[in-house]
Amino acid sequence: MRRRGWLGLGALALVGYVGLPSLLVQRLNLGLIREGRQEQRALALTFDDGPDPATTPAVLDALREAGARATFFVIAPRAEAYPELIARTLAEGHEVEPHAARHVHAWVRTPWGAFLEPGRAARRVSAVTGRSARLHRPPHGAYTLATIFGQRAAGVTGAHWTVEGRDWHPESTPESVRSRVGALAHPGAVVVLHDAGPGAPNTVPALPGLLADLRGRGYALVPLGGLDGAAPLGLRGLPRRLLGGLDRRVDRMGGIRHAGGRADNLFRLGSVRFALEGVTLADGTPVPRGTPAAELHLNSPLLVDIGLRRGLRLAPGDFRDLARDLQTRPELRGARVIFGLSTFAPLLALLGFESQPLPSAVLRRLRPWSALVRRAYGTGGPMPEVRLSVVSREAFLERYGEGS
């Protein structure tokens, strides 16, 4: 019995020391800087594990050529070994912050070692840069309770990411890194890549093309300190974070994808069977229950941040991506209508959709979810009614397809 009690205490201690920090900080990023506001078309580039004289200069060259600035999370002994690279990095307008004194996962450190690590890294890197450290990204983005307390004691804020290039993965290639970051990039994102270590052989050749792609899409490429709205995630921002995670899980389960394969598109699209009854389009065309359809989902956090007026300006271009998806995604080629259920029916009506009321039974099911979404994203004012927005495939492609 006594042994079971000790085992129970040990399990509780492990949950408190590793489990909760892993869930709340490492996964949900509570208390960490992980993104900025999406109002401006800007994202933050960050690079880990350098400097390395064999690879970091090429990364700096590509950034300078593209007019981009970034944040480098460096390993203290390497910074001390190559102060000239740190000096060049700072001189070219980049930020240099501590990553580690020893690149060891927090979970396999002693609690005391994990507590001391942020302070040791910050002091050693600051001695090279001549500047106080503000941020700290632990190896692998991993946290224990000691890591959290260590960052606070050192006076640094944890920095995470929203887009991981996975350049370190053994199956990754320069092309896959460029494609992955390009697909996941969105306003306010924090991108993590590596200028040294296993990820560098993919990042170095991928970077010039990736930077050109992002510049071509209108992004300003800034360090974390220059990303508007980049602040630690607090309790008020947690509902939005949780809802975004739920959206991504639902998307994976339902085969819902961002239009054009880009996370900065205002719309997401999935293949479904039309579930409503008694719907007829304005031209008299019936839409029977079970009709193959493409269901439209809004990129709510982006639309909330940029506002309806700017969303209305951007929507036609994003709908052109959606039109290409209708013609190229195999599961969407048979869709006869495009429809959505949302409170944004007035916006979609301006873009060619018909707006129709929903049956009262459907409204009763949707109202609680719609209210939850509005609260999570901080949308004030009276809640508009959820309505059906629908358009035929032919009408949509005539307006937004190739040659329209």
Side-chain angles (χ1 to χ4, degrees):
M1 190 71 179
R2 185 176 297 175
R3 184 178 179 184
R4 287 182 184 175
W6 282 112
L7 286 174
L9 279 175
L12 281 174
L14 190 62
V15 167
Y17 181 69
V18 174
L20 286 176
S22 175
L23 173 64
L24 296 176
V25 181
Q26 189 169 327
R27 296 288 296 175
L28 295 178
N29 307 145
L30 190 64
L32 306 184
I33 296 174
R34 67 179 302 270
E35 64 182 346
R37 282 193 287 268
Q38 300 194 40
E39 297 168 58
Q40 306 297 324
R41 205 166 178 82
L43 58 78
L45 295 170
T46 68
F47 296 89
D48 288 2
D49 291 357
D52 185 333
T55 49
T56 301
V59 170
L60 292 171
D61 290 345
L63 292 170
R64 182 178 57 195
E65 189 69 26
R69 294 185 299 140
T71 301
F72 288 78
F73 289 94
V74 301
I75 296 176
R78 293 181 181 175
E80 292 163 343
Y82 307 109
E84 70 284 354
L85 275 178
I86 299 298
R88 177 186 169 185
T89 303
L90 293 170
E92 293 182 2
H94 308 294
E95 296 175 345
V96 175
E97 298 287 355
H99 186 37
R102 291 175 58 236
H103 198 281
V104 178
H105 197 289
W107 295 3
V108 298
R109 289 181 179 274
T110 66
W112 184 241
F115 173 79
L116 293 175
E117 170 63 23
R120 286 171 172 166
R123 285 190 297 273
R124 292 174 65 177
V125 170
S126 292
V128 179
T129 64
R131 305 177 184 185
S132 297
R134 297 183 307 105
L135 306 173
H136 172 250
R137 175 181 288 161
H140 310 286
Y143 280 83
T144 64
L145 198 58
T147 312
I148 298 168
F149 288 146
Q151 287 182 337
R152 291 187 178 181
V156 292
T157 301
H160 207 69
W161 57 82
T162 46
V163 175
E164 185 177 17
R166 292 177 66 85
D167 50 0
W168 46 267
H169 196 278
E171 295 182 5
S172 290
T173 64
E175 293 74 23
S176 72
V177 170
R178 177 178 177 179
S179 175
R180 176 181 172 83
V181 175
L184 297 176
H186 58 273
V190 176
V191 179
V192 59
L193 295 165
H194 294 82
D195 64 306
N202 287 319
T203 285
V204 170
L207 197 57
L210 172 61
L211 296 175
D213 294 344
L214 295 172
R215 280 295 198 198
R217 286 160 58 180
Y219 279 99
L221 307 175
V222 301
L224 260 175
L227 187 63
D228 184 47
L233 177 67
L235 290 175
R236 290 184 63 184
L238 199 54
R240 173 173 171 150
R241 170 81 173 107
L242 289 168
L243 196 60
L246 180 61
D247 265 350
R248 288 188 290 275
R249 185 173 292 274
V250 170
D251 285 357
R252 286 195 296 270
M253 292 172 59
I256 301 165
R257 289 156 50 188
H258 287 279
R262 296 195 343 253
D264 57 7
N265 196 292
L266 280 167
F267 306 102
R268 294 141 49 222
L269 204 60
S271 174
V272 297
R273 294 282 177 174
F274 195 70
L276 300 176
E277 294 180 342
V279 174
T280 301
L281 300 182
D283 64 2
T285 303
V287 185
R289 182 186 177 119
T291 297
E295 185 172 11
L296 189 68
H297 300 262
L298 296 174
N299 187 341
S300 297
L302 178 59
L303 189 56
V304 167
D305 280 2
I306 67 175
L308 290 179
R309 185 173 297 179
R310 188 171 167 208
L312 189 60
R313 292 200 305 269
L314 295 175
D318 286 358
F319 270 154
R320 292 189 178 90
D321 288 337
L322 195 153
R324 282 191 288 273
D325 284 353
L326 285 174
Q327 296 171 306
T328 58
R329 281 173 55 180
E331 74 274 20
L332 297 176
R333 286 176 181 163
R336 301 316 311 157
V337 294
I338 300 93
F339 78 97
L341 308 177
S342 76
T343 60
F344 291 102
L347 168 68
L348 293 172
L350 295 173
L351 297 164
F353 283 72
E354 299 178 25
S355 178
Q356 300 190 16
L358 290 169
S360 57
V362 176
L363 277 176
R364 282 195 299 271
R365 292 200 304 270
L366 291 177
R367 278 177 184 142
W369 174 252
S370 181
L372 176 65
V373 170
R374 287 175 64 82
R375 287 193 65 181
Y377 291 117
T379 306
M383 187 173 77
E385 195 68 272
V386 179
R387 293 177 66 88
L388 167 68
S389 299
V390 61
V391 65
S392 71
R393 178 189 185 93
E394 292 75 19
F396 188 86
L397 291 178
E398 181 179 352
R399 184 162 182 160
Y400 297 109
E402 291 289 339
S404 61

